[in-house]
């Protein structure tokens, strides 16, 4: 949590301790069972965290009285002026939210979800009252959301219509998004995802019995479920066509990782710096790294890239991540039916309006991004570890689907990396993307 003073930004940890740093907040600009490292907190943990947050806000109010006049006189116009100086041509709006009030709405939201057996849709009758009280972001440009009480920057959104892009910018975007879409056709989807765990009676069902809403895929490194392995790369499907696509995509991933790094640093430099510093200090491999030997040319970064499509949705949850920085991209893809299945392409004529619903909702602050009323590439920063959030239910036509992605430092993934370095970095405990390709091809040859 952070507040801005006249000279520097101040971070609050959950105990209310003041942590000073030099960055100013207004620098923001169907296959095998695969378990996601992107765990969410359990329902009891979420309820406990809500209680802790109430105490936290009382502490913040006391600190607000005790801190200097420059903080007490924090001025909205001054914040707007500074933000405009930084993102002069792109800033669309600044939104203020009070978490203490929004948490009451979040509790209502969780209660509504407990009554149902699937994630909420923006058009769900049960949601209409809260929908009217929610601040919806739809306009092109950059939107910044601050906590009215703590002055923390809690959510950022950049909406970039394709029509506003230069030719070189669009070509860069097309390369990155096409690589990601192709990758999802080459790997099996994740079948265990805790964010799709219902809050109500459905919560008691076994994971294998619960209904899935859309598909999620993983790229990069994750905690191993394989005997004798500590950390492994996500694997391609076991056919030569998929293996070839997988190989082509991982060669392009360094450019994809750089695109995400640049996007996060552009929307919230402090968040980008936090991921960089943590991954460097803990030697966390980028999801684009092809090996884990301490000598990779790929700079440390987020260990995992998560990708969703086919009307993916989940429930309000908090993530069990290592740090509180999450960043992702959303866009609409065109589906083309080809000989080997489905191919996804970026076509500006197929935009978010083709998919009904699917809003990204930050329940902790009563703020949402209405994708259906937005255009182009949408970039989001949120505090997955601290704030309730979800992707609402959506409905897609046969020829289109919305892709959603996120980069995060997952707790399971970073713990696995730490165990690897602690245990003498034995390469026998690692399975790299190149290992996956080799093993896959050898298996096919043996069957031939």
């Amino acid at each position: 949590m952070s507040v801005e003073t006249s000279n520097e930004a101040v971070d609050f940890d959950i105990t209310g301790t003041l942590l000073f740093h030099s960055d100013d907040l207004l620098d923001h600009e169907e296959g095998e069972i695969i378990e996601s490292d992107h765990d969410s907190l359990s329902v009891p943990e979420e309820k406990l965290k809500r209680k802790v947050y109430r105490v936290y806000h009382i502490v913040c109010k006391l600190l607000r009285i005790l801190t200097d006049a420059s903080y007490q006189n924090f001025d909205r116009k001054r914040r707007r002026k500074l933000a405009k100086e930084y993102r002069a041509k792109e800033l669309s709006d600044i939104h203020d939210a009070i978490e203490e009030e929004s948490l009451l709405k979040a509790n209502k939201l969780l209660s509504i979800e407990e009554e149902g057996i699937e994630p909420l849709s923006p058009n769900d009758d049960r949601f209409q009252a809260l929908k009217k009280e929610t601040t919806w972001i739809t306009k092109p440009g950059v939107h910044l959301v601050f906590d009215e009480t703590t002055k923390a920057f809690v959510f950022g959104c950049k909406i970039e219509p394709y029509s506003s892009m230069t030719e070189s910018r669009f070509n860069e975007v097309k390369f990155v998004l096409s690589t990601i879409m192709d990758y999802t056709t080459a790997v099996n989807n994740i079948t265990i995802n805790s964010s799709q765990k219902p809050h109500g009676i459905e919560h008691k069902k076994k994971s294998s019995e619960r209904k899935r809403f859309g598909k999620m895929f993983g790229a990069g490194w994750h905690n191993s479920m394989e005997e004798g392995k500590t950390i492994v790369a996500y694997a391609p499907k076991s056919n030569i066509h998929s293996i070839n696509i997988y190989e082509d995509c991982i060669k392009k991933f360094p450019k994809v990782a750089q695109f995400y790094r640049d996007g996060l640093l552009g929307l919230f430099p402090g968040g980008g710096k936090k991921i960089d510093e943590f991954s460097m200090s803990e030697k966390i491999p980028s999801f684009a790294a092809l090996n884990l030997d301490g000598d990779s040319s790929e700079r440390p970064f987020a260990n995992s890239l998560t990708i969703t499509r086919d009307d993916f949705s989940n429930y309000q949850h908090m993530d069990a991540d290592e740090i509180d920085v999450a960043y992702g991209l959303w866009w609409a893809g065109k589906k083309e039916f080809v000989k080997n299945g489905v191919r996804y392409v970026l076509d500006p004529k197929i935009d978010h309006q083709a998919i009904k619903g699917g809003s990204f909702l930050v329940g902790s602050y009563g703020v949402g991004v209405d994708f259906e009323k937005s255009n182009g590439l949408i970039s989001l920063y949120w505090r997955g570890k601290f704030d309730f959030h979800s992707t609402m239910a959506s409905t897609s036509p046969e020829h289109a689907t919305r892709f959603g992605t996120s980069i995060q430092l997952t707790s399971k993934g970073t713990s696995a990396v730490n165990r690897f370095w602690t245990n003498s970095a034995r390469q026998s405990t690692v399975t790299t993307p190149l290992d996956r390709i080799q093993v896959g091809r050898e298996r096919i040859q043996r069957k031939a």
Side-chain angles (χ1 to χ4, degrees):
M1 289 290 201
S2 302
V3 298
E4 189 227 4
T5 66
S6 57
N7 299 316
E8 57 197 334
V10 182
D11 271 2
F12 288 106
D13 66 11
I14 201 68
T15 63
T17 306
L18 293 175
L19 306 170
F20 289 86
H21 60 78
S22 59
D23 290 332
D24 190 306
L25 271 178
L26 288 165
D27 281 355
H28 322 316
E29 293 218 59
E30 276 61 270
E32 61 185 301
I33 294 177
I34 307 174
E35 183 174 6
S36 170
D37 273 1
H38 291 259
D39 275 349
S40 61
L41 298 179
S42 66
V43 173
E45 287 173 323
E46 288 177 343
K47 291 180 178 178
L48 175 61
K49 196 156 189 175
R50 276 182 268 170
K51 292 179 181 178
V52 172
Y53 258 48
R54 293 190 186 101
V55 176
Y56 163 77
H57 276 279
I58 294 172
V59 173
C60 284
K61 286 181 178 179
L62 291 174
L63 287 169
R64 189 172 187 179
I65 296 171
L66 296 172
T67 46
D68 62 26
S70 63
Y71 171 48
Q72 292 179 36
N73 296 325
F74 186 88
D75 185 79
R76 176 180 168 84
K77 290 182 179 179
R78 178 174 174 273
R79 183 166 76 248
R80 181 182 290 277
K81 179 175 179 293
L82 290 172
K84 280 189 174 181
E85 287 174 357
Y86 186 76
R87 309 284 306 208
K89 295 181 179 179
E90 293 182 295
L91 184 70
S92 179
D93 205 352
I94 290 178
H95 309 270
D96 285 315
I98 302 175
E99 187 181 35
E100 193 168 15
E101 293 179 0
S102 295
L103 275 176
L104 297 176
K105 298 175 185 176
N107 287 336
K108 291 180 183 178
L109 193 57
L110 290 168
S111 296
I112 293 173
E113 287 185 332
E114 286 175 2
E115 295 171 4
I117 58 172
E118 60 185 44
L120 283 175
S121 162
N123 298 319
D124 195 308
D125 291 339
R126 298 169 295 162
F127 180 63
Q128 294 312 297
L130 284 176
K131 184 177 181 179
K132 294 177 182 177
E133 299 174 8
T134 301
T135 299
W136 293 104
I137 296 173
T138 60
K139 294 190 300 182
V142 174
H143 301 256
L144 309 176
V145 180
F146 292 83
D147 187 302
E148 180 75 17
T149 303
T150 66
K151 309 307 175 187
F153 175 48
V154 297
F155 183 70
C157 171
K158 181 179 180 180
I159 299 177
E160 189 178 7
Y162 299 125
S163 59
S164 70
M165 297 179 184
T166 63
E167 183 178 359
S168 60
R169 171 63 175 172
F170 178 75
N171 288 337
E172 179 186 28
V173 168
K174 187 175 182 178
F175 175 88
V176 170
L177 305 190
S178 295
T179 299
I180 295 172
M181 291 189 289
D182 286 346
Y183 177 84
T184 67
T185 67
V187 295
N188 291 311
N189 60 293
I190 292 169
T191 53
I192 299 177
N193 179 252
S194 55
S195 74
Q196 291 191 326
K197 230 179 243 185
H199 303 304
I201 191 168
E202 287 285 308
H203 179 69
K204 298 178 181 179
K205 285 188 176 183
K206 294 179 181 178
S207 177
S208 59
E209 297 174 347
R210 288 197 298 267
K211 183 180 178 181
R212 300 296 164 196
F213 306 99
K215 293 180 180 178
M216 173 184 279
F217 306 85
W221 305 87
H222 66 97
N223 179 55
S224 177
M225 297 172 67
E226 302 170 26
E227 186 178 354
K229 299 292 184 178
T230 300
I231 186 165
V232 298
Y234 286 97
K237 294 177 182 176
S238 56
N239 63 78
I240 195 63
H241 178 70
S242 295
I243 292 173
N244 289 340
I245 293 175
Y246 178 92
E247 183 176 33
D248 181 61
C249 289
I250 63 172
K251 289 177 180 177
K252 297 175 181 177
F253 271 0
K255 289 185 178 180
V256 174
Q258 189 60 48
F259 188 85
Y260 276 80
R261 189 193 305 272
D262 292 343
L264 175 55
L265 286 168
L267 187 60
F268 182 23
K273 182 180 178 183
K274 194 168 188 178
I275 280 188
D276 272 347
E277 290 181 343
F278 184 91
S279 58
M280 288 289 286
S281 66
E282 300 298 319
K283 296 191 286 187
I284 306 298
S286 165
F287 66 81
L290 296 180
N291 52 58
L292 185 55
D293 57 8
D295 194 34
S296 172
S297 60
E298 187 61 27
R299 184 177 173 183
F301 191 44
N303 62 286
S304 178
L305 169 66
T306 297
I307 311 151
T308 63
R309 59 169 166 82
D310 298 337
D311 295 317
F312 176 86
S313 61
N314 54 19
Y315 297 89
Q316 285 284 304
H317 65 283
M318 296 181 193
D319 299 321
D321 290 336
E322 197 65 29
I323 64 174
D324 59 331
V325 178
Y327 173 78
L329 306 175
W330 274 257
W331 69 93
K334 181 181 179 181
K335 295 171 69 173
E336 294 183 345
F337 298 91
V338 295
K339 181 180 178 180
N340 290 308
V342 178
R343 178 171 173 258
Y344 300 90
V345 297
L346 186 67
D347 183 347
K349 294 178 182 178
I350 304 297
D351 215 332
H352 290 282
Q353 293 84 355
I355 297 102
K356 304 303 178 184
S359 304
F360 187 90
L361 179 61
V362 183
S364 290
Y365 283 96
V367 175
V369 181
D370 190 340
F371 292 130
E372 187 181 343
K373 294 180 181 179
S374 306
N375 298 286
L377 180 62
I378 301 176
S379 312
L380 302 181
Y381 154 75
W382 69 100
R383 306 183 309 169
K385 185 177 181 177
F386 287 162
D387 303 323
F388 285 105
H389 62 282
S390 67
T391 300
M392 305 188 79
S394 63
T395 305
S396 300
E398 187 179 22
H399 68 282
T401 188
R402 181 179 293 120
F403 282 82
T405 65
S406 67
I407 54 166
Q408 289 156 289
L409 285 164
T410 63
S411 292
K412 283 186 177 181
T414 54
S415 294
V417 172
N418 181 262
R419 291 197 306 274
F420 168 74
W421 294 121
T422 301
N423 296 327
S424 305
R426 288 180 294 137
Q427 291 299 309
S428 61
T429 65
V430 177
T431 301
T432 71
L434 299 178
D435 293 333
R436 294 295 197 189
I437 294 170
Q438 181 180 346
V439 170
R441 286 183 172 152
E442 290 175 351
R443 185 180 293 125
I444 291 171
Q445 288 175 355
R446 287 196 298 270
K447 290 181 179 180

